[in-house]
Structure formats: C-alpha cells, structure tokens
C-alpha cells in the first residue's frame, strides 16, 4: 500500500524536491551575502561601543545597516509570504484531491475492492503525504528563519503577524492542518474544485483571525500603567473623529509584544486629546509631534497626572506561544484525520 501511494504521489513529490532545491540555493546565495554584510557592519561598530547611533560614526554605520535592510526588504516580504502560502498550497493541491479526486472519478471503487481495507488505504495516504507536507514546511521555515536572522534583528519585531507565522515551528502546524482540512473537505464534498476553494478560504480566515483573536490570549498578558513625564522618548498618533488622540512609546521590556495601547487618560479615566493641551503642543508642530521636544511635552503633561496603560506579552512567551499554537493546529489536524477515518469506517458497514 505504501508503494502504491508513493507511485501516485511521486510526481508531486519530485516536483517539490526540485523546487525546494532551487529555493535552498536562492536562500543560501543571498543569505550568505546578507549575513556577511551584516556581520561586517556590526564588527565595525562593536569595538567602539557605537552601535547605538550616539556618535556621527555610529549614525553612519546605522545608515548603512538601514540601507542593507531596505535592499533586502522586497525579497524579505516575498519569502515570508511564500512560507505562509505553502501550507495553503499543500491543502489545495495535495489535500483536496487526495480522496476527492478518487471519489469524483470513481477510481476509489477499484481501490476499495482490494484486500487492503478502506481504513488502512486512507491511513497510509494520510501518513505518507502528511509527513511530506510537514517536512516541506519545516525545510522552508528553517531556511527563512536562518536567512532573515539579520533583518529580524534590525526590525526588532518577531511578533508581527507574518513574521510569527512564517518562522520556527508554527508553519509545521499550519501545513498539517491545511493538508488534513483539504483531505476532509475532498472526502465530504466528493468534488475536488469546491474542496480546493473552501480550503483556501478557511486557511485565509485562520491567518487573519488567529493573530488577532487567539494568539494574544493563549498565555496571560502583562498590563502596566505608566505616568506621562519626561521619560517619553517618542510619539505616535491615532485619530478619532475630528479630535486627535496621542500616545507615547513607553518603556515596555525589550522584545515584548505590545497587544494593546489605549490612548492617554487623565486621573478620572477620560481620554485626553491634543486639543485639550494647546500649551503643550505648539501650533507650529501641528499637534503631530514631528519636531517637538518630547521631554518638554512630557513635563508639561505630567502636571495633570496623565497616564497610559499598555498590555503586552513578554519576550519569554515567544517559544511557549510557538509551541502552543503549533500544538493546537496539530490537534486540529489529528481531529480532521480521525473524522476521515471514522467516515471511511462507517461507509464500510
């Protein structure tokens, strides 16, 4: 049975092996060049303790690192999208036709009349192709995680939705889930194209909903309230109607994932707007903080006991969340595979 499954799957497997080899060469060629440039720039500033941009020479080196980052940014985004798309493609082109095409063309009748039981027939197919799907995602994820190391360090945000979903072990869970989902839909719908379309729609919905509704709540987050004072170092703005809310970037722990940052409030809990403090925000700055002394602004605002609350996941939660999210999707994949086996067994009776 394993040999028959391999013969049916070998064309797809060989195609993927060729594509993986080509991808590995591209990753290695560009990655080695980028890692070398990145290491050279850091080696130039580290002995002088000047990597923080506090001196003209350090700022020049920082500009070179920024140029390095901009040079690889288009490829960076493309490769992230590729690794995220691979599980969807696996579900569409490997999962949905696996059983759906057999049922649609009627070839399942021949397979089910052999000495091999339907349950074993399906179990072998799920195992062989499922392992290939997970291995494909693992190789691409490892390549991207290594390749993008310097850029991830420069960006300083491994919690971004696309970054988290395309690094380390999470893509393995996505690949297993997408494959099992496509197989289940093909089995239930008995049509390949509808199963492919629904698999894609569900996977896109998962990629949108998980980072916003599920991932932030898998582990307890930390909530901290900061008083607004001269410690404010930078400023960003959001807009609500015709009024301008303002927020300070506050000293959350390095590497933390900021999941919520409501606007500044006063001691009564009311949202404070820039228009309420014309003396603190000069007219020539347009209330946007473009060229304002943020230390002076913080000192001006501190007199009214203003505060800002932030909620974040600490950096130490990165790997636990990776494992938890991967585990969730592996469990979902197992449940879908189990439902397929149950359906096949029920059809035997």
């Amino acid at each position: 049975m394993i040999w028959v499954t391999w013969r049916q799957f070998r064309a797809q497997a060989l195609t993927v092996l060729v594509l993986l080899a080509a991808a590995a060469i591209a990753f290695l060629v560009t990655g080695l060049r980028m890692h070398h440039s990145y290491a050279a720039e850091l080696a130039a500033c580290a002995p002088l303790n000047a990597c923080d941009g506090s001196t003209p020479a350090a700022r020049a080196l920082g500009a070179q690192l920024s140029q390095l980052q901009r040079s690889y940014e288009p490829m960076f985004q493309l490769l992230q999208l590729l690794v995220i798309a691979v599980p969807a493609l696996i579900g569409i082109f490997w999962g949905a036709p696996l059983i759906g095409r057999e049922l649609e063309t009627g070839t399942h009748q021949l397979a089910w009349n052999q000495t091999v039981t339907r349950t074993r027939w399906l179990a072998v197919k799920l195992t062989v192709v499922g392992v290939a799907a997970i291995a494909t995602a693992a190789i691409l994820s490892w390549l991207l995680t290594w390749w993008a190391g310097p850029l991830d360090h420069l960006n300083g945000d491994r919690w971004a939705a696309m970054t988290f979903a395309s690094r380390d072990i999470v893509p393995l869970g996505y690949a297993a889930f997408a494959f099992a989902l496509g197989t289940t839909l093909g089995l239930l719908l008995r049509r390949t194209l509808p199963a492919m379309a629904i698999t894609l729609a569900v996977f896109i919905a998962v990629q949108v909903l998980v980072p916003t509704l599920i991932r932030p709540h898998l582990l307890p987050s930390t909530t901290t309230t900061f008083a607004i004072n001269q410690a404010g170092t930078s400023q960003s703005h959001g807009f609500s109607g015709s009024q301008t809310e303002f927020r300070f970037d506050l000293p959350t722990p390095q590497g933390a994932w900021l999941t919520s940052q409501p606007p500044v409030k006063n001691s009564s809990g009311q949202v404070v707007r820039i228009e309420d403090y014309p003396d603190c925000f000069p007219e020539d700055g347009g209330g946007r903080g473009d060229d304002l002394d943020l230390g002076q602004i913080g000192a001006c605002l501190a007199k009214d006991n203003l505060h800002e609350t932030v909620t974040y996941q600490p950096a130490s939660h990165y790997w636990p969340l990776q494992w938890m999210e991967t585990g969730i999707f592996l469990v979902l994949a197992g449940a879908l595979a189990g439902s397929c086996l149950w359906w096949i067994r029920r059809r035997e009776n």
Side-chain angles (χ1 to χ4, degrees):
M1 189 62 220
I2 295 177
W3 174 248
V4 173
T5 302
W6 162 248
R7 286 182 63 87
Q8 292 177 328
F9 180 65
R10 63 183 177 181
Q12 298 96 308
L14 292 174
T15 300
V16 168
L17 284 175
V18 171
L19 293 176
L20 283 177
I25 292 172
F27 273 110
L28 290 173
V29 171
T30 58
L32 289 173
R33 186 185 307 124
M34 176 175 60
H35 279 251
H36 176 74
S37 300
Y38 178 73
E41 298 297 345
L42 288 185
C45 67
L48 304 175
N49 295 320
C51 298
D52 58 356
S54 57
T55 66
R59 284 193 290 272
L61 289 169
Q64 293 177 9
L65 286 172
S66 297
Q67 180 60 39
L68 174 70
Q69 185 177 7
R70 287 192 296 269
S71 299
Y72 286 93
E73 187 67 22
M75 189 175 182
F76 175 72
Q77 298 296 339
L78 179 62
L79 292 177
Q80 284 194 141
L81 185 60
L82 171 65
V83 174
I84 292 175
V86 162
L89 296 175
I90 287 172
I92 293 171
F93 294 107
W94 288 5
L98 187 69
I99 310 299
R101 183 172 296 161
E102 299 260 16
L103 298 175
E104 191 173 14
T105 59
T107 55
H108 68 288
Q109 296 177 358
L110 176 62
W112 289 2
N113 285 323
Q114 306 302 312
T115 57
V116 177
T117 64
R118 300 177 186 181
T119 303
R120 184 182 173 190
W121 173 79
L122 178 58
V124 171
K125 280 181 171 289
L126 288 173
T127 301
V128 171
V129 185
V131 169
I134 294 174
T136 300
I139 292 171
L140 283 175
S141 174
W142 178 81
L143 285 171
L144 178 61
T145 301
W146 168 80
W147 183 90
L151 298 180
D152 288 340
H153 186 266
L154 290 173
N155 291 330
D157 185 14
R158 59 180 179 173
W159 294 101
M162 289 185 63
T163 302
F164 190 92
S166 61
R167 303 291 196 280
D168 300 310
I169 60 173
V170 165
L172 282 66
Y174 285 147
F177 168 73
F179 169 70
L181 176 66
T183 302
T184 303
L185 290 172
L187 184 63
L188 296 179
L189 298 176
R190 305 172 68 91
R191 295 291 184 272
T192 303
L193 288 179
M196 295 170 72
I198 297 176
T199 299
L200 178 61
V202 172
F203 189 81
I204 291 174
V206 165
Q207 289 296 322
V208 172
L209 295 177
V210 167
T212 55
L213 299 181
I214 298 178
R215 189 180 302 155
H217 307 291
L218 289 177
L219 288 175
S221 56
T222 301
T223 300
T224 305
T225 299
F226 297 90
I228 301 300
N229 50 39
Q230 287 124 320
T233 56
S234 61
Q235 188 178 27
S236 59
H237 295 83
F239 295 91
S240 176
S242 60
Q243 301 292 316
T244 305
E245 299 172 352
F246 58 96
R247 301 176 177 88
F248 278 88
D249 289 340
L250 299 170
T252 53
Q254 185 177 8
W257 176 24
L258 191 64
T259 57
S260 175
Q261 186 180 9
V264 177
K265 297 182 180 180
N266 58 25
S267 56
S268 301
Q270 297 175 326
V271 174
V272 175
R273 307 183 189 281
I274 288 178
E275 286 75 8
D276 300 332
Y277 290 87
D279 295 338
C280 298
F281 296 92
E283 290 296 329
D284 59 351
R288 301 295 184 267
D290 296 331
D291 296 308
L292 302 178
D293 186 332
L294 298 175
Q296 294 181 4
I297 294 175
C300 180
L301 297 173
K303 60 185 179 183
D304 281 358
N305 192 28
L306 303 183
H307 61 274
E308 188 171 3
T309 301
V310 295
T311 302
Y312 62 90
Q313 292 283 355
S316 60
H317 284 184
Y318 177 82
W319 275 108
L321 287 174
Q322 280 270 330
W323 282 107
M324 291 179 70
E325 190 165 322
T326 303
I328 288 172
F329 282 99
L330 289 177
V331 169
L332 289 175
L336 290 170
S339 68
C340 292
L341 293 170
W342 173 85
W343 187 91
I344 286 289
R345 181 172 296 179
R346 184 174 65 87
R347 297 286 298 182
E348 286 182 322
N349 298 330

